Amino acid sequence: MYHRDETVPPFMFEDRNMRDLIGYLIADKDPTAGNIKLYGLNYKGKQSIDRDRGIDSILKKQQNIFKRVIGCLPLCITSTDRSQNTKNFYSLPYLIGLIYDILRNSDIQLTLQTASQILVYSRRIVQFESNLNFEDLSLFSDIPEEQDNLANVLNNFVKELESWKKGTSNIRVNPLLLGRIMTRYYNAAENQEFEGNLGTRFSAQICLLFNSILVEESRWGNAQEHHCKLNYNNPVTSLNIFFANIKNVAHAGMNSVEFPVLRFFISCPLLRVYLTSEAEGMIGDWYTYHKIDLGISSFLDEVEVHSIEYHSKIDSKLIRGKVEFSAANGDPMRQTIRTLKEAKITKDTIIKTENRIIQDRYSDLFKKRISTLSLNKFKIKLRDNNELW
């Protein structure tokens, strides 16, 4: 008799679409690469967090139904049990899973409509309310149905996806090249330190993917024959490397035909719609694309990203620091602040972030693990005295 390996997540044995599969993988592994953490739906935590800047509040206020639909598509919500203790991610891998489903399904509009539902994914519970909608979100309940112009925008967008789907039907990708692209992308996404709110950061995530494809496909192909010099470093704090690479490819006379994988992704309307005007302008100089400017990135920039996303990347193998974390007045606290500043950790990050996250991420900067008592005292003093930092 066959016995299922209990170490394999149960959702792997179900016949689901690619987007759902990636959603369950995110719930199972809780990865950071490509996933921007957001505050929970109807988050009622610390007063320093502006709840009017949460993803649910912004979607509720948006009267443009098309923006609501597009804003929902990358939103992946995960849970560890049947409680409402959830984590919320704005995920590029999750969106790419939807692109795969669009390529596989014949009815694009129905696929988009299904994907705009708010789903919750759990590793432990296989049948977890697969069509769950958060009632407080009420995405479509207050939208007047007579908005014919918005229906036209949606229809035009579906037509763009259909045209893109037909134009990319013959693409073939070597698995080794695909592996190199994804390895570079995940490394870049794991180590990026972009700042800003959701729209800017999600646009940067997409550009990281484009740059990874451009670099690896050029190394795979004949970029050197065209004397095209690319910067093989990954962008960290800005997209200047990617923009310079696009310019170098254009100056070398290489068009999108010589980059079939990049052309496949960079021409996808479901990726281009999230780009900032700056990124769209730089890419448009090389690959012309008739895009209806819907202001999606500006709309998403109203959403505040979880404070954990602003944390500097601390090496887990970092040798423990020379000083102890202390809230004692005088030199001990000054040394603590100096250590945090050297690690590029901001005062705002310390005040807003939960204690357990600070203890998990930053204890290696100090001689001993950061105690909860010292941390609470430290936060109070930072709030009460602006001159300390």
Side-chain angles (χ1 to χ4, degrees):
M1 181 179 178
Y2 172 72
H3 295 280
R4 181 172 67 80
D5 184 356
E6 293 298 329
T7 63
V8 179
F11 60 78
M12 297 296 290
F13 295 90
E14 295 191 354
D15 182 18
R16 293 182 176 272
N17 58 43
M18 181 60 70
R19 183 170 177 263
D20 282 346
L21 178 60
I22 293 176
Y24 280 114
L25 286 171
I26 293 173
D28 180 43
K29 301 297 183 182
D30 201 15
T32 56
N35 299 299
I36 302 173
K37 189 171 184 181
L38 305 177
Y39 288 104
L41 301 178
N42 290 323
Y43 179 81
K44 293 180 172 58
K46 300 176 182 178
Q47 293 181 356
S48 57
I49 305 301
D50 184 0
R51 276 313 306 137
D52 289 337
R53 304 287 300 278
I55 183 67
D56 52 332
S57 299
I58 298 302
L59 289 173
K60 273 184 178 182
K61 291 188 296 184
Q62 179 54 245
Q63 293 299 306
N64 186 315
I65 188 173
F66 182 76
K67 286 186 178 181
R68 285 194 180 189
V69 171
I70 296 298
C72 281
L73 297 183
L75 180 59
C76 179
I77 304 176
T78 66
S79 175
T80 55
D81 47 42
R82 287 193 179 274
S83 70
Q84 290 298 308
N85 182 20
T86 58
K87 295 181 180 180
N88 305 276
F89 300 98
Y90 219 68
S91 171
L92 180 56
Y94 190 59
L95 182 64
I96 292 176
L98 172 60
I99 292 172
Y100 174 88
D101 294 331
I102 287 174
L103 292 171
R104 190 180 66 169
N105 300 335
S106 57
D107 193 333
I108 293 179
Q109 186 158 346
L110 179 60
T111 304
L112 288 176
Q113 181 180 350
T114 303
S116 65
Q117 296 177 350
I118 305 299
L119 307 182
V120 175
Y121 297 93
S122 172
R123 180 186 187 276
R124 299 178 184 177
I125 306 168
V126 181
Q127 305 294 338
F128 187 78
E129 310 265 6
S130 60
N131 290 320
L132 177 63
N133 280 305
F134 280 88
E135 293 181 359
D136 346 31
L137 196 54
S138 303
L139 280 180
F140 306 107
S141 61
D142 57 346
I143 296 293
E145 296 182 356
E146 64 271 32
Q147 297 188 21
D148 294 335
N149 58 326
L150 295 178
N152 291 333
V153 171
L154 181 59
N155 290 334
N156 291 336
F157 189 71
V158 170
K159 289 178 181 178
E160 287 185 14
L161 282 170
E162 290 174 345
S163 176
W164 167 78
K165 183 177 177 180
K166 292 177 181 177
T168 57
S169 59
N170 295 323
I171 188 173
R172 297 292 183 269
V173 184
N174 187 299
L176 178 59
L177 172 59
L178 185 60
R180 288 169 60 170
I181 289 171
M182 296 313 297
T183 298
R184 175 176 286 273
Y185 167 68
Y186 275 100
N187 181 267
E190 186 70 27
N191 293 284
Q192 57 80 25
E193 295 180 6
F194 293 107
E195 296 185 354
N197 286 330
L198 181 58
T200 301
R201 293 174 63 85
F202 195 62
S203 174
Q205 285 287 341
I206 295 172
C207 289
L208 283 180
L209 176 64
F210 290 165
N211 187 69
S212 299
I213 299 171
L214 174 60
V215 169
E216 293 302 333
E217 199 167 18
S218 67
R219 297 176 66 185
W220 187 269
N222 57 352
Q224 292 183 351
E225 296 178 8
H226 288 74
H227 304 287
C228 179
K229 295 181 180 180
L230 298 181
N231 188 335
Y232 290 164
N233 293 321
N234 293 324
V236 178
T237 58
S238 76
L239 293 172
N240 291 338
I241 291 177
F242 170 57
F243 295 154
N245 283 342
I246 284 286
K247 285 183 178 180
N248 290 338
V249 168
H251 291 162
M254 301 181 70
N255 57 39
S256 61
V257 176
E258 299 179 74
F259 294 89
V261 182
L262 180 60
R263 186 176 74 250
F264 172 83
F265 283 97
I266 213 168
S267 63
C268 178
L270 204 49
L271 292 176
R272 294 285 282 261
V273 73
Y274 293 99
L275 295 181
T276 61
S277 56
E278 179 189 18
E280 179 62 42
M282 296 299 297
I283 294 173
D285 290 341
W286 178 69
Y287 186 89
T288 304
Y289 168 70
H290 177 65
K291 174 193 173 185
I292 304 173
D293 187 5
L294 301 168
I296 299 297
S297 180
S298 299
F299 154 57
L300 292 176
D301 258 342
E302 298 177 33
V303 179
E304 184 175 353
V305 174
H306 199 291
S307 60
I308 191 174
E309 287 294 328
Y310 290 107
H311 290 177
S312 301
K313 305 295 181 182
I314 303 296
D315 190 342
S316 60
K317 297 181 180 178
L318 186 68
I319 299 175
R320 284 200 173 271
K322 297 179 180 179
V323 302
E324 292 186 17
F325 185 94
S326 176
N329 293 333
D331 196 51
M333 189 164 184
R334 283 197 295 268
Q335 289 180 347
T336 300
I337 293 174
R338 187 183 305 118
T339 301
L340 294 171
K341 285 183 175 181
E342 288 174 353
K344 298 181 180 179
I345 301 167
T346 66
K347 173 184 175 181
D348 197 46
T349 296
I350 295 296
I351 292 176
K352 289 184 177 181
T353 307
E354 298 175 18
N355 284 355
R356 62 177 182 80
I357 296 176
I358 294 176
Q359 291 166 329
D360 289 344
R361 284 181 171 257
Y362 304 141
S363 281
D364 282 342
L365 295 172
F366 302 94
K367 279 185 178 180
K368 300 178 181 178
R369 181 174 173 80
I370 301 172
S371 72
T372 303
L373 180 61
S374 295
L375 186 53
N376 287 335
K377 291 181 179 179
F378 190 81
K379 286 185 174 183
I380 291 172
K381 289 185 178 181
L382 286 184
R383 290 193 189 101
D384 294 343
N385 191 343
N386 292 327
E387 297 180 357
L388 277 177
W389 194 268

CSV table of all heavy atoms in Angstrom, one decimal, residues 140-187:
chain,number,residue,atom,x,y,z
A,140,PHE,N,-16.4,45.0,-4.6
A,140,PHE,CA,-17.2,45.4,-5.7
A,140,PHE,C,-18.7,45.8,-5.3
A,140,PHE,O,-19.5,46.1,-6.1
A,140,PHE,CB,-17.4,44.2,-6.7
A,140,PHE,CG,-16.1,43.7,-7.2
A,140,PHE,CD1,-15.6,42.5,-6.7
A,140,PHE,CD2,-15.3,44.4,-8.0
A,140,PHE,CE1,-14.3,42.0,-7.1
A,140,PHE,CE2,-14.1,43.9,-8.5
A,140,PHE,CZ,-13.6,42.7,-8.0
A,141,SER,N,-18.9,45.8,-4.0
A,141,SER,CA,-20.3,46.0,-3.5
A,141,SER,C,-20.8,47.4,-3.8
A,141,SER,O,-22.0,47.7,-4.0
A,141,SER,CB,-20.4,45.7,-2.0
A,141,SER,OG,-19.5,46.5,-1.3
A,142,ASP,N,-19.9,48.4,-3.8
A,142,ASP,CA,-20.3,49.8,-3.9
A,142,ASP,C,-19.9,50.4,-5.2
A,142,ASP,O,-19.8,51.6,-5.3
A,142,ASP,CB,-19.7,50.6,-2.7
A,142,ASP,CG,-18.2,50.5,-2.7
A,142,ASP,OD1,-17.6,49.6,-3.4
A,142,ASP,OD2,-17.6,51.3,-2.0
A,143,ILE,N,-19.7,49.6,-6.2
A,143,ILE,CA,-19.4,50.2,-7.5
A,143,ILE,C,-20.6,50.3,-8.4
A,143,ILE,O,-21.3,49.3,-8.6
A,143,ILE,CB,-18.3,49.2,-8.2
A,143,ILE,CG1,-17.0,49.2,-7.4
A,143,ILE,CG2,-18.1,49.7,-9.6
A,143,ILE,CD1,-16.3,50.5,-7.4
A,144,PRO,N,-20.9,51.4,-8.9
A,144,PRO,CA,-22.1,51.6,-9.8
A,144,PRO,C,-21.9,50.8,-11.1
A,144,PRO,O,-20.8,50.9,-11.7
A,144,PRO,CB,-22.2,53.1,-10.0
A,144,PRO,CG,-20.8,53.6,-9.7
A,144,PRO,CD,-20.3,52.7,-8.7
A,145,GLU,N,-22.9,50.1,-11.6
A,145,GLU,CA,-22.7,49.2,-12.7
A,145,GLU,C,-22.8,50.0,-14.1
A,145,GLU,O,-22.5,49.5,-15.1
A,145,GLU,CB,-23.9,48.2,-12.7
A,145,GLU,CG,-23.8,47.2,-11.6
A,145,GLU,CD,-24.8,46.2,-11.6
A,145,GLU,OE1,-25.7,46.2,-12.5
A,145,GLU,OE2,-24.9,45.3,-10.8
A,146,GLU,N,-23.1,51.3,-14.0
A,146,GLU,CA,-23.3,52.0,-15.3
A,146,GLU,C,-21.9,52.6,-15.8
A,146,GLU,O,-21.9,53.4,-16.7
A,146,GLU,CB,-24.3,53.2,-15.1
A,146,GLU,CG,-23.8,54.3,-14.1
A,146,GLU,CD,-24.3,53.9,-12.7
A,146,GLU,OE1,-24.4,52.9,-12.4
A,146,GLU,OE2,-24.6,54.7,-11.9
A,147,GLN,N,-20.8,52.2,-15.2
A,147,GLN,CA,-19.5,52.7,-15.6
A,147,GLN,C,-19.1,52.0,-16.9
A,147,GLN,O,-18.2,51.2,-16.9
A,147,GLN,CB,-18.5,52.6,-14.5
A,147,GLN,CG,-18.9,53.4,-13.3
A,147,GLN,CD,-17.7,53.4,-12.3
A,147,GLN,OE1,-16.6,53.1,-12.6
A,147,GLN,NE2,-18.0,53.7,-11.0
A,148,ASP,N,-19.7,52.4,-18.0
A,148,ASP,CA,-19.3,51.8,-19.3
A,148,ASP,C,-17.9,52.0,-19.7
A,148,ASP,O,-17.3,51.2,-20.3
A,148,ASP,CB,-20.3,52.3,-20.4
A,148,ASP,CG,-21.7,51.9,-20.2
A,148,ASP,OD1,-21.9,50.9,-19.5
A,148,ASP,OD2,-22.6,52.6,-20.7
A,149,ASN,N,-17.4,53.2,-19.4
A,149,ASN,CA,-16.0,53.5,-19.7
A,149,ASN,C,-15.0,52.5,-19.1
A,149,ASN,O,-14.0,52.1,-19.6
A,149,ASN,CB,-15.6,54.9,-19.4
A,149,ASN,CG,-15.8,55.2,-17.9
A,149,ASN,OD1,-16.7,54.7,-17.3
A,149,ASN,ND2,-15.0,56.1,-17.4
A,150,LEU,N,-15.3,52.2,-17.8
A,150,LEU,CA,-14.4,51.2,-17.1
A,150,LEU,C,-14.5,49.8,-17.7
A,150,LEU,O,-13.6,49.1,-17.8
A,150,LEU,CB,-14.8,51.2,-15.6
A,150,LEU,CG,-14.6,52.5,-14.8
A,150,LEU,CD1,-15.0,52.4,-13.4
A,150,LEU,CD2,-13.1,52.9,-14.9
A,151,ALA,N,-15.7,49.5,-18.1
A,151,ALA,CA,-15.9,48.2,-18.8
A,151,ALA,C,-15.1,48.2,-20.1
A,151,ALA,O,-14.5,47.1,-20.5
A,151,ALA,CB,-17.4,47.9,-19.1
A,152,ASN,N,-15.1,49.3,-20.8
A,152,ASN,CA,-14.3,49.4,-22.0
A,152,ASN,C,-12.8,49.2,-21.7
A,152,ASN,O,-12.0,48.6,-22.5
A,152,ASN,CB,-14.5,50.7,-22.7
A,152,ASN,CG,-15.9,50.8,-23.3
A,152,ASN,OD1,-16.5,49.8,-23.6
A,152,ASN,ND2,-16.4,52.0,-23.4
A,153,VAL,N,-12.3,49.8,-20.6
A,153,VAL,CA,-10.9,49.7,-20.3
A,153,VAL,C,-10.6,48.2,-20.0
A,153,VAL,O,-9.6,47.7,-20.4
A,153,VAL,CB,-10.6,50.6,-19.0
A,153,VAL,CG1,-9.2,50.3,-18.5
A,153,VAL,CG2,-10.7,52.0,-19.4
A,154,LEU,N,-11.5,47.6,-19.3
A,154,LEU,CA,-11.2,46.2,-19.0
A,154,LEU,C,-11.2,45.3,-20.2
A,154,LEU,O,-10.4,44.5,-20.4
A,154,LEU,CB,-12.3,45.6,-18.0
A,154,LEU,CG,-12.2,44.2,-17.6
A,154,LEU,CD1,-10.9,43.9,-16.9
A,154,LEU,CD2,-13.3,43.8,-16.6
A,155,ASN,N,-12.2,45.6,-21.1
A,155,ASN,CA,-12.2,44.9,-22.4
A,155,ASN,C,-11.0,45.1,-23.2
A,155,ASN,O,-10.4,44.2,-23.8
A,155,ASN,CB,-13.5,45.3,-23.2
A,155,ASN,CG,-14.8,44.8,-22.6
A,155,ASN,OD1,-14.7,43.7,-21.8
A,155,ASN,ND2,-15.8,45.4,-22.8
A,156,ASN,N,-10.5,46.3,-23.3
A,156,ASN,CA,-9.3,46.6,-24.0
A,156,ASN,C,-8.1,45.9,-23.4
A,156,ASN,O,-7.2,45.5,-24.1
A,156,ASN,CB,-9.0,48.2,-24.0
A,156,ASN,CG,-10.1,48.9,-24.9
A,156,ASN,OD1,-10.7,48.3,-25.8
A,156,ASN,ND2,-10.3,50.2,-24.6
A,157,PHE,N,-8.1,45.9,-22.1
A,157,PHE,CA,-6.9,45.2,-21.4
A,157,PHE,C,-7.0,43.7,-21.7
A,157,PHE,O,-5.9,43.1,-22.0
A,157,PHE,CB,-7.0,45.4,-19.9
A,157,PHE,CG,-5.8,45.0,-19.2
A,157,PHE,CD1,-4.6,45.6,-19.3
A,157,PHE,CD2,-5.9,43.8,-18.4
A,157,PHE,CE1,-3.5,45.2,-18.6
A,157,PHE,CE2,-4.7,43.4,-17.7
A,157,PHE,CZ,-3.5,44.1,-17.8
A,158,VAL,N,-8.1,43.1,-21.7
A,158,VAL,CA,-8.3,41.7,-22.1
A,158,VAL,C,-7.8,41.5,-23.5
A,158,VAL,O,-7.1,40.5,-23.8
A,158,VAL,CB,-9.7,41.2,-21.9
A,158,VAL,CG1,-9.9,39.8,-22.5
A,158,VAL,CG2,-10.1,41.2,-20.4
A,159,LYS,N,-8.2,42.4,-24.4
A,159,LYS,CA,-7.7,42.3,-25.8
A,159,LYS,C,-6.2,42.3,-25.9
A,159,LYS,O,-5.6,41.6,-26.8
A,159,LYS,CB,-8.4,43.3,-26.7
A,159,LYS,CG,-9.9,43.1,-26.9
A,159,LYS,CD,-10.5,44.3,-27.7
A,159,LYS,CE,-12.0,44.1,-27.9
A,159,LYS,NZ,-12.6,45.2,-28.6
A,160,GLU,N,-5.6,43.2,-25.1
A,160,GLU,CA,-4.1,43.3,-25.1
A,160,GLU,C,-3.5,42.0,-24.7
A,160,GLU,O,-2.5,41.5,-25.3
A,160,GLU,CB,-3.7,44.4,-24.2
A,160,GLU,CG,-3.9,45.8,-24.8
A,160,GLU,CD,-3.3,46.9,-23.9
A,160,GLU,OE1,-2.5,46.6,-23.0
A,160,GLU,OE2,-3.7,48.1,-24.0
A,161,LEU,N,-4.1,41.4,-23.7
A,161,LEU,CA,-3.6,40.1,-23.2
A,161,LEU,C,-3.8,39.0,-24.2
A,161,LEU,O,-2.9,38.2,-24.4
A,161,LEU,CB,-4.3,39.7,-21.9
A,161,LEU,CG,-3.8,40.4,-20.6
A,161,LEU,CD1,-4.8,40.1,-19.5
A,161,LEU,CD2,-2.4,40.0,-20.3
A,162,GLU,N,-4.9,39.0,-24.9
A,162,GLU,CA,-5.1,38.1,-26.0
A,162,GLU,C,-4.1,38.2,-27.1
A,162,GLU,O,-3.6,37.2,-27.7
A,162,GLU,CB,-6.6,38.2,-26.5
A,162,GLU,CG,-7.6,37.7,-25.5
A,162,GLU,CD,-9.0,38.0,-26.0
A,162,GLU,OE1,-9.2,38.8,-27.0
A,162,GLU,OE2,-10.0,37.4,-25.4
A,163,SER,N,-3.9,39.5,-27.5
A,163,SER,CA,-2.9,39.7,-28.6
A,163,SER,C,-1.5,39.3,-28.1
A,163,SER,O,-0.7,38.7,-28.9
A,163,SER,CB,-2.9,41.2,-28.9
A,163,SER,OG,-1.9,41.5,-29.8
A,164,TRP,N,-1.1,39.6,-26.9
A,164,TRP,CA,0.2,39.2,-26.4
A,164,TRP,C,0.3,37.7,-26.4
A,164,TRP,O,1.3,37.1,-26.7
A,164,TRP,CB,0.4,39.7,-25.0
A,164,TRP,CG,1.5,39.2,-24.2
A,164,TRP,CD1,2.8,39.4,-24.4
A,164,TRP,CD2,1.4,38.2,-23.2
A,164,TRP,NE1,3.6,38.7,-23.5
A,164,TRP,CE2,2.8,37.9,-22.8
A,164,TRP,CE3,0.4,37.5,-22.6
A,164,TRP,CZ2,3.1,37.0,-21.8
A,164,TRP,CZ3,0.7,36.5,-21.6
A,164,TRP,CH2,2.0,36.3,-21.2
A,165,LYS,N,-0.8,37.0,-25.9
A,165,LYS,CA,-0.8,35.5,-25.9
A,165,LYS,C,-0.6,34.9,-27.2
A,165,LYS,O,0.2,34.0,-27.4
A,165,LYS,CB,-2.1,35.1,-25.3
A,165,LYS,CG,-2.2,33.6,-25.0
A,165,LYS,CD,-3.6,33.3,-24.4
A,165,LYS,CE,-3.8,31.8,-24.2
A,165,LYS,NZ,-5.1,31.5,-23.5
A,166,LYS,N,-1.2,35.5,-28.2
A,166,LYS,CA,-1.0,34.9,-29.6
A,166,LYS,C,0.4,35.2,-30.1
A,166,LYS,O,1.0,34.3,-30.8
A,166,LYS,CB,-2.1,35.5,-30.6
A,166,LYS,CG,-3.5,35.1,-30.3
A,166,LYS,CD,-4.5,35.8,-31.2
A,166,LYS,CE,-5.9,35.4,-30.9
A,166,LYS,NZ,-6.9,36.2,-31.8
A,167,GLY,N,0.9,36.3,-29.8
A,167,GLY,CA,2.2,36.7,-30.3
A,167,GLY,C,3.4,36.0,-29.7
A,167,GLY,O,4.5,36.0,-30.2
A,168,THR,N,3.1,35.3,-28.5
A,168,THR,CA,4.2,34.6,-27.8
A,168,THR,C,4.0,33.1,-27.7
A,168,THR,O,4.6,32.5,-26.9
A,168,THR,CB,4.4,35.2,-26.4
A,168,THR,OG1,3.1,35.0,-25.7
A,168,THR,CG2,4.7,36.7,-26.4
A,169,SER,N,3.2,32.6,-28.6
A,169,SER,CA,2.8,31.2,-28.5
A,169,SER,C,3.9,30.2,-28.9
A,169,SER,O,3.9,29.1,-28.5
A,169,SER,CB,1.5,30.9,-29.4
A,169,SER,OG,1.8,31.3,-30.7
A,170,ASN,N,4.9,30.7,-29.7
A,170,ASN,CA,5.9,29.8,-30.2
A,170,ASN,C,7.2,29.9,-29.4
A,170,ASN,O,8.2,29.3,-29.8
A,170,ASN,CB,6.2,30.1,-31.6
A,170,ASN,CG,5.0,29.8,-32.5
A,170,ASN,OD1,4.2,28.9,-32.3
A,170,ASN,ND2,4.8,30.7,-33.5
A,171,ILE,N,7.3,30.6,-28.3
A,171,ILE,CA,8.5,30.7,-27.5
A,171,ILE,C,8.9,29.4,-26.9
A,171,ILE,O,8.1,28.6,-26.4
A,171,ILE,CB,8.4,31.8,-26.5
A,171,ILE,CG1,9.8,32.1,-25.8
A,171,ILE,CG2,7.4,31.5,-25.4
A,171,ILE,CD1,9.8,33.3,-24.9
A,172,ARG,N,10.2,29.1,-26.9
A,172,ARG,CA,10.8,27.9,-26.3
A,172,ARG,C,12.0,28.4,-25.5
A,172,ARG,O,12.8,29.1,-25.9
A,172,ARG,CB,11.2,26.9,-27.3
A,172,ARG,CG,10.1,26.3,-28.2
A,172,ARG,CD,9.1,25.4,-27.3
A,172,ARG,NE,8.1,24.8,-28.2
A,172,ARG,CZ,6.9,25.4,-28.4
A,172,ARG,NH1,6.7,26.6,-27.9
A,172,ARG,NH2,6.0,24.8,-29.2
A,173,VAL,N,12.1,27.9,-24.2
A,173,VAL,CA,13.1,28.3,-23.3
A,173,VAL,C,13.9,27.1,-22.9
A,173,VAL,O,13.4,26.0,-22.4
A,173,VAL,CB,12.5,29.0,-22.1
A,173,VAL,CG1,13.7,29.5,-21.2
A,173,VAL,CG2,11.6,30.1,-22.5
A,174,ASN,N,15.2,27.2,-23.0
A,174,ASN,CA,16.1,26.1,-22.5
A,174,ASN,C,16.0,26.1,-21.0
A,174,ASN,O,16.2,27.1,-20.3
A,174,ASN,CB,17.6,26.4,-22.9
A,174,ASN,CG,18.5,25.3,-22.6
A,174,ASN,OD1,18.7,24.9,-21.4
A,174,ASN,ND2,19.1,24.7,-23.6
A,175,PRO,N,15.8,24.9,-20.4
A,175,PRO,CA,15.6,24.8,-18.9
A,175,PRO,C,16.8,25.3,-18.1
A,175,PRO,O,16.7,25.9,-17.1
A,175,PRO,CB,15.4,23.3,-18.7
A,175,PRO,CG,14.9,22.8,-20.0
A,175,PRO,CD,15.5,23.6,-21.0
A,176,LEU,N,18.0,25.1,-18.7
A,176,LEU,CA,19.2,25.6,-18.0
A,176,LEU,C,19.2,27.1,-18.0
A,176,LEU,O,19.6,27.7,-17.0
A,176,LEU,CB,20.5,25.1,-18.8
A,176,LEU,CG,21.8,25.6,-18.2
A,176,LEU,CD1,22.0,25.2,-16.7
A,176,LEU,CD2,23.0,25.1,-19.0
A,177,LEU,N,18.8,27.8,-19.1
A,177,LEU,CA,18.7,29.2,-19.1
A,177,LEU,C,17.7,29.7,-18.1
A,177,LEU,O,17.9,30.7,-17.4
A,177,LEU,CB,18.4,29.7,-20.5
A,177,LEU,CG,18.1,31.2,-20.7
A,177,LEU,CD1,19.3,32.1,-20.2
A,177,LEU,CD2,17.7,31.6,-22.1
A,178,LEU,N,16.6,29.1,-18.1
A,178,LEU,CA,15.5,29.4,-17.1
A,178,LEU,C,16.0,29.3,-15.7
A,178,LEU,O,15.7,30.2,-14.9
A,178,LEU,CB,14.3,28.6,-17.3
A,178,LEU,CG,13.0,28.9,-16.5
A,178,LEU,CD1,12.6,30.3,-16.8
A,178,LEU,CD2,11.9,27.9,-16.8
A,179,GLY,N,16.7,28.3,-15.4
A,179,GLY,CA,17.3,28.1,-14.1
A,179,GLY,C,18.3,29.2,-13.7
A,179,GLY,O,18.3,29.7,-12.6
A,180,ARG,N,19.1,29.6,-14.7
A,180,ARG,CA,20.0,30.7,-14.4
A,180,ARG,C,19.3,32.0,-14.2
A,180,ARG,O,19.7,32.8,-13.3
A,180,ARG,CB,21.0,30.8,-15.6
A,180,ARG,CG,22.0,29.7,-15.6
A,180,ARG,CD,22.8,29.6,-16.9
A,180,ARG,NE,23.6,30.8,-17.2
A,180,ARG,CZ,24.5,30.9,-18.1
A,180,ARG,NH1,24.7,29.8,-18.9
A,180,ARG,NH2,25.2,32.0,-18.3
A,181,ILE,N,18.3,32.3,-14.9
A,181,ILE,CA,17.5,33.5,-14.8
A,181,ILE,C,16.9,33.6,-13.4
A,181,ILE,O,17.0,34.6,-12.7
A,181,ILE,CB,16.4,33.6,-15.9
A,181,ILE,CG1,17.0,33.8,-17.2
A,181,ILE,CG2,15.4,34.7,-15.5
A,181,ILE,CD1,16.0,33.7,-18.4
A,182,MET,N,16.2,32.5,-13.0
A,182,MET,CA,15.5,32.5,-11.7
A,182,MET,C,16.5,32.5,-10.5
A,182,MET,O,16.2,33.1,-9.5
A,182,MET,CB,14.6,31.3,-11.6
A,182,MET,CG,13.5,31.3,-12.6
A,182,MET,SD,12.6,32.9,-12.7
A,182,MET,CE,11.9,33.0,-11.1
A,183,THR,N,17.6,31.9,-10.7
A,183,THR,CA,18.7,32.0,-9.6
A,183,THR,C,19.1,33.4,-9.4
A,183,THR,O,19.2,33.9,-8.3
A,183,THR,CB,19.9,31.1,-10.0
A,183,THR,OG1,19.4,29.7,-10.0
A,183,THR,CG2,20.9,31.2,-8.9
A,184,ARG,N,19.4,34.1,-10.5
A,184,ARG,CA,19.8,35.5,-10.5
A,184,ARG,C,18.7,36.3,-9.9
A,184,ARG,O,19.0,37.2,-9.0
A,184,ARG,CB,20.2,36.0,-11.8
A,184,ARG,CG,20.6,37.5,-11.9
A,184,ARG,CD,21.1,37.9,-13.2
A,184,ARG,NE,22.4,37.5,-13.5
A,184,ARG,CZ,23.5,38.1,-13.1
A,184,ARG,NH1,23.4,39.3,-12.4
A,184,ARG,NH2,24.7,37.6,-13.4
A,185,TYR,N,17.5,36.1,-10.3
A,185,TYR,CA,16.4,37.0,-9.8
A,185,TYR,C,16.2,36.8,-8.3
A,185,TYR,O,16.0,37.8,-7.6
A,185,TYR,CB,15.1,36.6,-10.6
A,185,TYR,CG,13.9,37.2,-9.8
A,185,TYR,CD1,13.7,38.6,-9.8
A,185,TYR,CD2,13.0,36.4,-9.1
A,185,TYR,CE1,12.6,39.2,-9.1
A,185,TYR,CE2,11.9,37.0,-8.4
A,185,TYR,CZ,11.8,38.4,-8.4
A,185,TYR,OH,10.7,38.9,-7.7
A,186,TYR,N,16.1,35.6,-7.8
A,186,TYR,CA,15.9,35.4,-6.4
A,186,TYR,C,17.0,35.9,-5.6
A,186,TYR,O,16.8,36.4,-4.5
A,186,TYR,CB,15.6,33.9,-6.1
A,186,TYR,CG,14.2,33.5,-6.3
A,186,TYR,CD1,13.8,32.9,-7.5
A,186,TYR,CD2,13.2,33.9,-5.4
A,186,TYR,CE1,12.4,32.6,-7.7
A,186,TYR,CE2,11.9,33.6,-5.6
A,186,TYR,CZ,11.5,32.9,-6.8
A,186,TYR,OH,10.2,32.6,-7.0
A,187,ASN,N,18.3,35.8,-6.1
A,187,ASN,CA,19.4,36.4,-5.4
A,187,ASN,C,19.3,37.9,-5.3
A,187,ASN,O,19.5,38.6,-4.3
A,187,ASN,CB,20.7,36.0,-6.1
A,187,ASN,CG,21.9,36.6,-5.4
A,187,ASN,OD1,22.4,37.6,-5.7
A,187,ASN,ND2,22.4,35.8,-4.4
